[in-house]
mmCIF file of all heavy atoms in Angstrom:
data_model
loop_
_atom_site.group_PDB
_atom_site.id
_atom_site.type_symbol
_atom_site.label_atom_id
_atom_site.label_comp_id
_atom_site.label_asym_id
_atom_site.label_seq_id
_atom_site.Cartn_x
_atom_site.Cartn_y
_atom_site.Cartn_z
ATOM 1 N N LEU A 255 108.617 91.112 160.487
ATOM 2 C CA LEU A 255 108.333 90.103 161.572
ATOM 3 C C LEU A 255 106.911 90.224 162.046
ATOM 4 O O LEU A 255 106.333 91.355 162.252
ATOM 5 C CB LEU A 255 109.248 90.309 162.768
ATOM 6 C CG LEU A 255 110.807 90.202 162.443
ATOM 7 C CD1 LEU A 255 111.639 90.579 163.663
ATOM 8 C CD2 LEU A 255 111.142 88.795 161.924
ATOM 9 N N GLY A 256 106.277 89.033 162.181
ATOM 10 C CA GLY A 256 104.904 89.052 162.680
ATOM 11 C C GLY A 256 104.853 89.358 164.200
ATOM 12 O O GLY A 256 105.620 88.882 164.959
ATOM 13 N N TYR A 257 103.875 90.251 164.598
ATOM 14 C CA TYR A 257 103.774 90.531 165.965
ATOM 15 C C TYR A 257 102.234 90.546 166.272
ATOM 16 O O TYR A 257 101.392 91.112 165.574
ATOM 17 C CB TYR A 257 104.295 91.885 166.285
ATOM 18 C CG TYR A 257 103.908 92.506 167.589
ATOM 19 C CD1 TYR A 257 104.580 92.175 168.736
ATOM 20 C CD2 TYR A 257 102.871 93.483 167.684
ATOM 21 C CE1 TYR A 257 104.205 92.693 169.987
ATOM 22 C CE2 TYR A 257 102.503 93.958 168.874
ATOM 23 C CZ TYR A 257 103.182 93.521 170.016
ATOM 24 O OH TYR A 257 102.794 94.033 171.274
ATOM 25 N N VAL A 258 101.835 89.763 167.359
ATOM 26 C CA VAL A 258 100.478 89.803 167.816
ATOM 27 C C VAL A 258 100.489 89.896 169.332
ATOM 28 O O VAL A 258 101.278 89.250 169.995
ATOM 29 C CB VAL A 258 99.787 88.434 167.369
ATOM 30 C CG1 VAL A 258 98.310 88.555 167.863
ATOM 31 C CG2 VAL A 258 99.843 88.285 165.935
ATOM 32 N N ARG A 259 99.601 90.687 169.885
ATOM 33 C CA ARG A 259 99.461 90.822 171.345
ATOM 34 C C ARG A 259 98.040 90.321 171.686
ATOM 35 O O ARG A 259 97.093 90.795 171.204
ATOM 36 C CB ARG A 259 99.686 92.208 171.786
ATOM 37 C CG ARG A 259 99.664 92.406 173.354
ATOM 38 C CD ARG A 259 100.333 93.703 173.764
ATOM 39 N NE ARG A 259 99.655 94.848 173.221
ATOM 40 C CZ ARG A 259 98.690 95.579 173.863
ATOM 41 N NH1 ARG A 259 98.275 95.182 175.142
ATOM 42 N NH2 ARG A 259 98.166 96.596 173.301
ATOM 43 N N PHE A 260 97.990 89.304 172.597
ATOM 44 C CA PHE A 260 96.768 88.728 172.971
ATOM 45 C C PHE A 260 96.357 89.017 174.457
ATOM 46 O O PHE A 260 97.237 89.387 175.219
ATOM 47 C CB PHE A 260 96.865 87.180 172.923
ATOM 48 C CG PHE A 260 97.152 86.658 171.500
ATOM 49 C CD1 PHE A 260 98.402 86.267 171.202
ATOM 50 C CD2 PHE A 260 96.162 86.504 170.607
ATOM 51 C CE1 PHE A 260 98.703 85.733 169.967
ATOM 52 C CE2 PHE A 260 96.421 86.004 169.308
ATOM 53 C CZ PHE A 260 97.634 85.598 169.027
ATOM 54 N N ARG A 261 95.081 88.908 174.735
ATOM 55 C CA ARG A 261 94.580 88.915 176.127
ATOM 56 C C ARG A 261 93.878 87.612 176.267
ATOM 57 O O ARG A 261 92.892 87.270 175.518
ATOM 58 C CB ARG A 261 93.736 90.048 176.374
ATOM 59 C CG ARG A 261 93.249 90.099 177.901
ATOM 60 C CD ARG A 261 92.393 91.267 178.224
ATOM 61 N NE ARG A 261 91.056 91.028 177.622
ATOM 62 C CZ ARG A 261 90.057 91.852 177.592
ATOM 63 N NH1 ARG A 261 90.209 93.091 178.040
ATOM 64 N NH2 ARG A 261 88.886 91.542 177.022
ATOM 65 N N MET A 262 94.256 86.827 177.245
ATOM 66 C CA MET A 262 93.608 85.537 177.535
ATOM 67 C C MET A 262 92.196 85.776 178.127
ATOM 68 O O MET A 262 92.060 86.697 178.981
ATOM 69 C CB MET A 262 94.449 84.687 178.414
ATOM 70 C CG MET A 262 95.822 84.262 177.772
ATOM 71 S SD MET A 262 95.654 83.518 176.239
ATOM 72 C CE MET A 262 94.734 82.012 176.707
ATOM 73 N N ILE A 263 91.280 84.863 177.749
ATOM 74 C CA ILE A 263 89.928 84.922 178.374
ATOM 75 C C ILE A 263 89.818 83.571 179.214
ATOM 76 O O ILE A 263 90.005 82.465 178.723
ATOM 77 C CB ILE A 263 88.869 84.937 177.275
ATOM 78 C CG1 ILE A 263 89.086 86.264 176.443
ATOM 79 C CG2 ILE A 263 87.442 84.864 177.783
ATOM 80 C CD1 ILE A 263 88.160 86.331 175.265
ATOM 81 N N TYR A 264 89.356 83.817 180.404
ATOM 82 C CA TYR A 264 89.227 82.624 181.396
ATOM 83 C C TYR A 264 87.717 82.408 181.730
ATOM 84 O O TYR A 264 86.961 83.296 181.759
ATOM 85 C CB TYR A 264 90.051 82.868 182.654
ATOM 86 C CG TYR A 264 91.491 83.182 182.411
ATOM 87 C CD1 TYR A 264 91.977 84.414 182.153
ATOM 88 C CD2 TYR A 264 92.435 82.050 182.422
ATOM 89 C CE1 TYR A 264 93.319 84.649 181.910
ATOM 90 C CE2 TYR A 264 93.763 82.328 182.244
ATOM 91 C CZ TYR A 264 94.208 83.562 181.908
ATOM 92 O OH TYR A 264 95.513 83.789 181.707
ATOM 93 N N ASP A 265 87.463 81.131 182.045
ATOM 94 C CA ASP A 265 86.105 80.859 182.556
ATOM 95 C C ASP A 265 86.118 81.083 184.078
ATOM 96 O O ASP A 265 87.082 81.504 184.636
ATOM 97 C CB ASP A 265 85.714 79.472 182.153
ATOM 98 C CG ASP A 265 86.556 78.375 182.749
ATOM 99 O OD1 ASP A 265 87.321 78.674 183.692
ATOM 100 O OD2 ASP A 265 86.483 77.223 182.386
ATOM 101 N N LYS A 266 85.001 80.672 184.700
ATOM 102 C CA LYS A 266 84.845 80.935 186.130
ATOM 103 C C LYS A 266 85.730 80.178 186.971
ATOM 104 O O LYS A 266 86.136 80.530 188.149
ATOM 105 C CB LYS A 266 83.412 80.598 186.497
ATOM 106 C CG LYS A 266 82.322 81.551 185.939
ATOM 107 C CD LYS A 266 80.946 81.170 186.415
ATOM 108 C CE LYS A 266 79.924 82.149 185.859
ATOM 109 N NZ LYS A 266 78.560 81.858 186.274
ATOM 110 N N THR A 267 86.301 79.088 186.468
ATOM 111 C CA THR A 267 87.305 78.274 187.215
ATOM 112 C C THR A 267 88.720 78.727 187.038
ATOM 113 O O THR A 267 89.718 78.112 187.516
ATOM 114 C CB THR A 267 87.177 76.790 186.815
ATOM 115 O OG1 THR A 267 87.598 76.618 185.403
ATOM 116 C CG2 THR A 267 85.712 76.238 187.015
ATOM 117 N N GLY A 268 88.896 79.747 186.151
ATOM 118 C CA GLY A 268 90.303 80.254 185.906
ATOM 119 C C GLY A 268 90.957 79.516 184.779
ATOM 120 O O GLY A 268 92.167 79.768 184.562
ATOM 121 N N THR A 269 90.187 78.683 184.081
ATOM 122 C CA THR A 269 90.766 77.973 183.014
ATOM 123 C C THR A 269 90.744 78.792 181.696
ATOM 124 O O THR A 269 89.699 79.328 181.362
ATOM 125 C CB THR A 269 90.053 76.635 182.715
ATOM 126 O OG1 THR A 269 90.072 75.847 183.939
ATOM 127 C CG2 THR A 269 90.696 75.821 181.567
ATOM 128 N N PRO A 270 91.874 78.992 180.981
ATOM 129 C CA PRO A 270 91.836 79.753 179.725
ATOM 130 C C PRO A 270 90.947 79.006 178.643
ATOM 131 O O PRO A 270 91.191 77.833 178.379
ATOM 132 C CB PRO A 270 93.256 79.753 179.304
ATOM 133 C CG PRO A 270 94.019 78.672 180.022
ATOM 134 C CD PRO A 270 93.243 78.448 181.273
ATOM 135 N N VAL A 271 90.037 79.808 178.063
ATOM 136 C CA VAL A 271 89.046 79.201 177.095
ATOM 137 C C VAL A 271 89.156 79.923 175.788
ATOM 138 O O VAL A 271 88.735 79.323 174.755
ATOM 139 C CB VAL A 271 87.601 79.257 177.691
ATOM 140 C CG1 VAL A 271 87.467 78.308 178.863
ATOM 141 C CG2 VAL A 271 87.162 80.662 177.954
ATOM 142 N N ASP A 272 89.766 81.021 175.693
ATOM 143 C CA ASP A 272 89.798 81.765 174.432
ATOM 144 C C ASP A 272 90.820 82.900 174.602
ATOM 145 O O ASP A 272 91.401 83.126 175.690
ATOM 146 C CB ASP A 272 88.439 82.325 174.034
ATOM 147 C CG ASP A 272 88.258 82.497 172.589
ATOM 148 O OD1 ASP A 272 89.326 82.535 171.844
ATOM 149 O OD2 ASP A 272 87.118 82.525 172.034
ATOM 150 N N TYR A 273 90.946 83.621 173.606
ATOM 151 C CA TYR A 273 91.835 84.863 173.679
ATOM 152 C C TYR A 273 91.254 85.955 172.827
ATOM 153 O O TYR A 273 90.501 85.716 171.889
ATOM 154 C CB TYR A 273 93.263 84.493 173.318
ATOM 155 C CG TYR A 273 93.422 84.005 171.870
ATOM 156 C CD1 TYR A 273 93.559 84.908 170.769
ATOM 157 C CD2 TYR A 273 93.513 82.618 171.646
ATOM 158 C CE1 TYR A 273 93.655 84.357 169.555
ATOM 159 C CE2 TYR A 273 93.695 82.143 170.394
ATOM 160 C CZ TYR A 273 93.739 82.990 169.375
ATOM 161 O OH TYR A 273 93.920 82.594 168.007
ATOM 162 N N LYS A 274 91.672 87.165 173.072
ATOM 163 C CA LYS A 274 91.338 88.320 172.258
ATOM 164 C C LYS A 274 92.554 88.971 171.673
ATOM 165 O O LYS A 274 93.532 89.255 172.485
ATOM 166 C CB LYS A 274 90.491 89.238 173.049
ATOM 167 C CG LYS A 274 89.999 90.548 172.312
ATOM 168 C CD LYS A 274 89.181 91.421 173.206
ATOM 169 C CE LYS A 274 88.652 92.591 172.401
ATOM 170 N NZ LYS A 274 87.874 93.491 173.208
ATOM 171 N N VAL A 275 92.517 89.285 170.444
ATOM 172 C CA VAL A 275 93.662 90.006 169.811
ATOM 173 C C VAL A 275 93.597 91.504 170.157
ATOM 174 O O VAL A 275 92.620 92.123 169.847
ATOM 175 C CB VAL A 275 93.687 89.785 168.286
ATOM 176 C CG1 VAL A 275 94.855 90.610 167.599
ATOM 177 C CG2 VAL A 275 93.826 88.389 167.883
ATOM 178 N N LEU A 276 94.605 91.994 170.803
ATOM 179 C CA LEU A 276 94.689 93.366 171.202
ATOM 180 C C LEU A 276 95.355 94.191 170.153
ATOM 181 O O LEU A 276 95.046 95.445 169.926
ATOM 182 C CB LEU A 276 95.350 93.563 172.559
ATOM 183 C CG LEU A 276 94.630 92.868 173.760
ATOM 184 C CD1 LEU A 276 95.429 93.072 175.011
ATOM 185 C CD2 LEU A 276 93.212 93.387 173.903
ATOM 186 N N ASP A 277 96.362 93.587 169.476
ATOM 187 C CA ASP A 277 97.228 94.320 168.568
ATOM 188 C C ASP A 277 97.894 93.398 167.676
ATOM 189 O O ASP A 277 98.247 92.290 168.048
ATOM 190 C CB ASP A 277 98.204 95.215 169.331
ATOM 191 C CG ASP A 277 98.808 96.317 168.383
ATOM 192 O OD1 ASP A 277 98.260 96.533 167.327
ATOM 193 O OD2 ASP A 277 99.754 96.983 168.866
ATOM 194 N N SER A 278 98.118 93.865 166.407
ATOM 195 C CA SER A 278 98.892 92.955 165.474
ATOM 196 C C SER A 278 99.387 93.826 164.355
ATOM 197 O O SER A 278 98.896 94.907 164.153
ATOM 198 C CB SER A 278 98.056 91.842 164.899
ATOM 199 O OG SER A 278 96.997 92.340 164.108
ATOM 200 N N ASN A 279 100.405 93.324 163.660
ATOM 201 C CA ASN A 279 100.956 94.066 162.480
ATOM 202 C C ASN A 279 100.571 93.376 161.191
ATOM 203 O O ASN A 279 99.986 92.260 161.159
ATOM 204 C CB ASN A 279 102.372 94.359 162.618
ATOM 205 C CG ASN A 279 103.260 93.094 162.526
ATOM 206 O OD1 ASN A 279 102.724 92.029 162.512
ATOM 207 N ND2 ASN A 279 104.577 93.335 162.516
ATOM 208 N N TYR A 280 100.918 93.935 160.112
ATOM 209 C CA TYR A 280 100.601 93.484 158.748
ATOM 210 C C TYR A 280 101.191 92.100 158.481
ATOM 211 O O TYR A 280 100.547 91.130 157.957
ATOM 212 C CB TYR A 280 101.022 94.407 157.694
ATOM 213 C CG TYR A 280 100.832 93.986 156.318
ATOM 214 C CD1 TYR A 280 99.610 93.990 155.702
ATOM 215 C CD2 TYR A 280 101.886 93.437 155.502
ATOM 216 C CE1 TYR A 280 99.381 93.517 154.397
ATOM 217 C CE2 TYR A 280 101.705 92.984 154.231
ATOM 218 C CZ TYR A 280 100.454 93.046 153.666
ATOM 219 O OH TYR A 280 100.244 92.573 152.377
ATOM 220 N N ALA A 281 102.440 91.839 158.908
ATOM 221 C CA ALA A 281 103.130 90.649 158.700
ATOM 222 C C ALA A 281 102.414 89.449 159.407
ATOM 223 O O ALA A 281 102.251 88.334 158.905
ATOM 224 C CB ALA A 281 104.550 90.681 159.130
ATOM 225 N N ALA A 282 101.902 89.719 160.610
ATOM 226 C CA ALA A 282 101.206 88.681 161.325
ATOM 227 C C ALA A 282 99.865 88.284 160.705
ATOM 228 O O ALA A 282 99.496 87.108 160.570
ATOM 229 C CB ALA A 282 100.866 89.170 162.752
ATOM 230 N N GLU A 283 99.156 89.274 160.225
ATOM 231 C CA GLU A 283 97.927 89.012 159.530
ATOM 232 C C GLU A 283 98.111 88.249 158.161
ATOM 233 O O GLU A 283 97.348 87.418 157.896
ATOM 234 C CB GLU A 283 97.270 90.448 159.249
ATOM 235 C CG GLU A 283 96.761 91.025 160.563
ATOM 236 C CD GLU A 283 96.212 92.492 160.357
ATOM 237 O OE1 GLU A 283 96.330 92.893 159.209
ATOM 238 O OE2 GLU A 283 95.710 93.022 161.294
ATOM 239 N N LYS A 284 99.266 88.594 157.533
ATOM 240 C CA LYS A 284 99.594 87.921 156.380
ATOM 241 C C LYS A 284 99.925 86.467 156.604
ATOM 242 O O LYS A 284 99.554 85.503 155.845
ATOM 243 C CB LYS A 284 100.762 88.637 155.614
ATOM 244 C CG LYS A 284 101.014 88.052 154.171
ATOM 245 C CD LYS A 284 102.098 88.820 153.506
ATOM 246 C CE LYS A 284 102.357 88.288 152.130
ATOM 247 N NZ LYS A 284 103.403 89.087 151.443
ATOM 248 N N ILE A 285 100.685 86.194 157.653
ATOM 249 C CA ILE A 285 101.129 84.843 158.031
ATOM 250 C C ILE A 285 99.895 83.938 158.425
ATOM 251 O O ILE A 285 99.650 82.819 157.928
ATOM 252 C CB ILE A 285 102.156 84.823 159.212
ATOM 253 C CG1 ILE A 285 103.454 85.431 158.673
ATOM 254 C CG2 ILE A 285 102.348 83.401 159.703
ATOM 255 C CD1 ILE A 285 104.402 85.733 159.789
ATOM 256 N N ILE A 286 99.024 84.548 159.230
ATOM 257 C CA ILE A 286 97.847 83.847 159.713
ATOM 258 C C ILE A 286 96.807 83.663 158.704
ATOM 259 O O ILE A 286 96.094 82.705 158.547
ATOM 260 C CB ILE A 286 97.275 84.532 160.935
ATOM 261 C CG1 ILE A 286 98.316 84.379 162.101
ATOM 262 C CG2 ILE A 286 95.959 83.878 161.454
ATOM 263 C CD1 ILE A 286 97.920 85.137 163.423
ATOM 264 N N GLY A 287 96.652 84.741 157.818
ATOM 265 C CA GLY A 287 95.806 84.687 156.675
ATOM 266 C C GLY A 287 94.468 85.366 156.839
ATOM 267 O O GLY A 287 93.545 85.071 156.169
ATOM 268 N N CYS A 288 94.369 86.217 157.856
ATOM 269 C CA CYS A 288 93.119 87.026 158.004
ATOM 270 C C CYS A 288 93.433 88.231 158.799
ATOM 271 O O CYS A 288 94.496 88.411 159.378
ATOM 272 C CB CYS A 288 92.021 86.155 158.803
ATOM 273 S SG CYS A 288 92.504 85.882 160.581
ATOM 274 N N LEU A 289 92.456 89.173 158.680
ATOM 275 C CA LEU A 289 92.534 90.355 159.606
ATOM 276 C C LEU A 289 92.131 89.949 160.980
ATOM 277 O O LEU A 289 90.942 89.600 161.260
ATOM 278 C CB LEU A 289 91.607 91.472 159.039
ATOM 279 C CG LEU A 289 91.934 91.970 157.709
ATOM 280 C CD1 LEU A 289 90.928 93.026 157.188
ATOM 281 C CD2 LEU A 289 93.421 92.673 157.681
#
């Protein structure tokens, strides 16, 4: 099973603009297609 843990990145207004991958397993990387 694919597993990914993200951390959201917000701008100054509190709007989510991006995210950062904190953790993932091999299945998730295979599904998404990259490290």
Side-chain angles (χ1 to χ4, degrees):
L255 299 177
Y257 167 82
V258 183
R259 183 162 63 96
F260 300 99
R261 185 182 70 185
M262 297 304 300
I263 299 174
Y264 301 89
D265 63 15
K266 293 181 180 180
T267 66
T269 302
V271 295
D272 207 341
Y273 60 84
K274 181 179 181 180
V275 176
L276 300 178
D277 198 8
S278 66
N279 67 354
Y280 176 76
E283 292 171 354
K284 187 175 181 180
I285 292 169
I286 296 174
C288 71
L289 294 176

